[in-house]
Amino acid sequence: MGQTVIEKIFSAHSKDEVKPGNIIWLDLDVRSARDFAGANVVGNLRKNYPEKSKFENKEKTVFTFDCVIPANNLGYAENQQTIRVFAEEEGIKLYDSEWGIGSHVLIEDGYSLPGTTTVGTDSHLNIMGCIGAFGQGMGDQDIAFGMKAGKTWFEVPPTMKIIIEGELKAPCSAKDITLAVIRKLTSKGSLGKAIEFEGKAIDNLSLPGRITLSSMVTEMGGIVGFIPPSDEVLKYCKERAKTDFTPQYADEDAKYVEEVVVDISDLRPLIAKPFKPDNVVEVESLEKDNIHVHSGFIGSCTNGRYADMKVAVDMLRDKEVAPKTVLKIVPATRRVLGDMIANNDLQVLFDARTVVSNPGCAGCASGQIGMTGKGEIQVSTGNRNFKGKQGSGMTYLCSPETVTASSIAGKIISPDNL
Amino acid sequence: MEKPITLKGRAVVIRDSSGKPIDDVDTDMIFHNRYLHIIDINEMGQYALDNLDDWKDFAKTTKKGDIVFFGANFGSGSSRQQAVDCFTALGVQALVAKSYGAIYKRNAINAGMPIIQSAIIDDKSLIETGDEVEVNLKTGMIKNLSKKKEHSNRGMSKVQMDIYKAGDLFAYAKNL
C-alpha cells in the first residue's frame, strides 16, 4: 500500500511497522536543544547518566542559543552558561549567541536535510517540513532521552492533504497563503495530523516562503506540514549537507484521512487579530478603523529570511517610518545579517529610521527586542499573538509587506493601498 | 521485580453528577497551575482533580490500586508532568480514557504509567465506580468482575510496554 511522506520518512528511520496509530521507535538524525529548556535537558542528562561521556553520536547533537541572545537576564545567562560548560565537557557543537534561530541554523549548516528527522526543545521545530523533513519540538525529558538513545518513540499520525488552488499574486506573499490556510482550518483543524501541502502556488514557493508556511503548522494544530522539496531546495541543501540524504515524496496511492482545498485566486493581504492566530481577516477590512501602529516587527522563524528583510528594504528605500511608529527588524540568523551587510541594506534601513538588531527570536520569545507595553499595538511577522506572548500589548500577525506598509503609514494598511 | 501485565483493582469512573462522562478534562483540572511549584511527588496526590467539578474530593476518596476511567481528550492542555505524577502518588494503577491529549499521552508513557484507550465509559452497564475490574495491558481487554462483562480494546504498544516494564523512560534508556 502507498505511503504518505511522514510514513516514508518513518519507514526509513524505524524497524517497526509504520501505519497511523502505531507507536514506533524512530531514529533521530539530529537532536537539539536551545537556551529555553536546554539547561533542563543538561540537568536530566547529568542526573540520569552520571557517567562521563553521554553520547555516542556527538556529531548529531547540537545546542543552539536563540531565545534571548545575548542573555539580558540572569536566568537565561545562567542557563546558557550551564549549556556552554556541558557542551565543552562533552565536545558537542554549540551555536552561541551570535548565530541566531536554531531551526534555521540547522538547515543553513546542513544538519537537517530532506527526508531526515530532527527533534529539539523548540515547539516550532516542525518547520523542517519546509525542506521535506520531519521535525518535532518536545519536552526536556524527551530530548534528554533522545540525545542519549539516538531515538525516540512516536505515534504515527494520519496525514491530511491541503491543496492550494490558484496563483499567488502581489502584494500577497507566502504569509498570506499561510493565514488563509489557518483561517480555513482554525487552530484545531489539523489536530494530531501530519499535513502535506500541494498545488502550483506551493511548487512555486522559494525556500523562504516554504519556511513561512511550514513554521505555522503548529498554529494549525498539526504535527508537521510537508512541502515536497523543489530542485532549488534540493540544491540548497546539497551544497550544505553534512551527510548524504534521501528526499521522500508521497506515493501515488498514499492514503489521506482528509483533503482540504484552499482557493487563493482572489486572495487579498490577510492579518490575524489579537489574541489568536486563527482570528484572520482581510487587512483592508481594518483600514476604516484607522488603527494606529505603535510598533512593527519583522523577523522570527516565520519571516526572518533575507527575502523577508529585502521586502522591507525595497519598500523603505527613500522613505521613512511614520513619526510615531517604531519598526524593529531582526534577521533570523547571522548569515541573513551577513547578506544584508553585503548588499548595503543596513544603510537603507538606517536612513528609514528603523531599529535593526542582532539575529535571534527577538519578540516572539520575550527576547532581546520587540516586547510591547499595555495598550501598544504591534504588527508582527511572527507566528503567535496570544495574550502576554510579546508583552502586554496587542499583536496583529501579517506579512512583511503589510508590516512595512503599516509602519510607513503609521496605521494598519494593505501594502497596495499605501 | 517484573511489572504485572494484568492489573486488578476498583474502578473509579469520572462521570458528572448527571451520569455523563466528563470530556476535555485539562491539565488545570487535573493538577492546577497554582501547585506547579511542587516538585516532590509525595505532595502531589492531595491535589489530583481538585479543580474538577463533582470530583474535588477525588484524592480523599480514591484508594491505592484504583483504576480510573475518563472521557475523551483527557489531559489536554499544558505539558506539566505533575498531571500524571499526582495519580502515581495516590497509588492509582492505571488510567483508561476514551482519548488523550497528545502531550499528556507522551508524559504518561514516559513516566511508566499504564494507560489504555477505551470508550467503555460511554456504557453504564459496562462500568461503574466501585466495580472490581481486571485490565490486561497487553491485549487491552477490560473484564468487569462485578458485572461479569467484558470490553475489548487495543492493548499497549510494544514501546509503551517496554517503558512500563523498565519503570520509566530513563530507566529504559539505561538498558539500551
Side-chain angles (χ1 to χ4, degrees), chain B residues 132-136 141-146 149-151:
Chain B
E132 187 73 3
V133 293
E134 192 182 281
V135 179
N136 185 311
M141 177 67 77
I142 299 172
K143 284 186 187 165
N144 189 326
L145 306 174
S146 308
K149 293 243 173 91
E150 289 186 351
H151 191 260

Side-chain angles (χ1 to χ4, degrees), chain B residues 105-118:
Chain B
K105 198 167 169 180
R106 277 200 86 82
N107 288 345
I109 292 174
N110 286 344
M113 167 64 85
I115 59 167
I116 292 279
Q117 198 161 330
S118 169

Side-chain angles (χ1 to χ4, degrees), chain A residues 274-275 363 366 370-378 385-395:
Chain A
F275 293 100
S366 315
M371 297 292 284
T372 57
K374 197 170 169 60
E376 181 173 341
I377 300 216
Q378 172 181 243
N385 57 353
F386 302 131
K387 213 168 190 159
K389 175 84 179 156
Q390 290 110 357
S392 47
M394 286 172 285
T395 295

Side-chain angles (χ1 to χ4, degrees), chain A residues 41-58:
Chain A
V41 170
V42 169
N44 283 319
L45 286 166
R46 286 200 194 279
K47 181 174 152 222
N48 291 287
Y49 310 110
E51 71 272 26
K52 187 80 188 115
S53 185
K54 294 166 183 71
F55 302 98
E56 281 167 32
N57 294 300
K58 295 190 182 188

Side-chain angles (χ1 to χ4, degrees), chain A residues 79-117:
Chain A
N79 284 347
Q80 288 174 2
Q81 187 58 17
T82 297
I83 296 167
R84 266 186 210 109
V85 169
F86 184 80
E88 177 69 24
E89 272 175 30
E90 291 282 336
I92 290 166
K93 177 75 182 173
L94 163 66
Y95 287 91
D96 210 311
S97 308
E98 69 272 33
W99 287 101
I101 301 177
S103 60
H104 286 223
V105 171
L106 291 176
I107 297 173
E108 285 178 346
D109 262 18
Y111 284 94
S112 300
L113 298 160
T116 61
T117 57

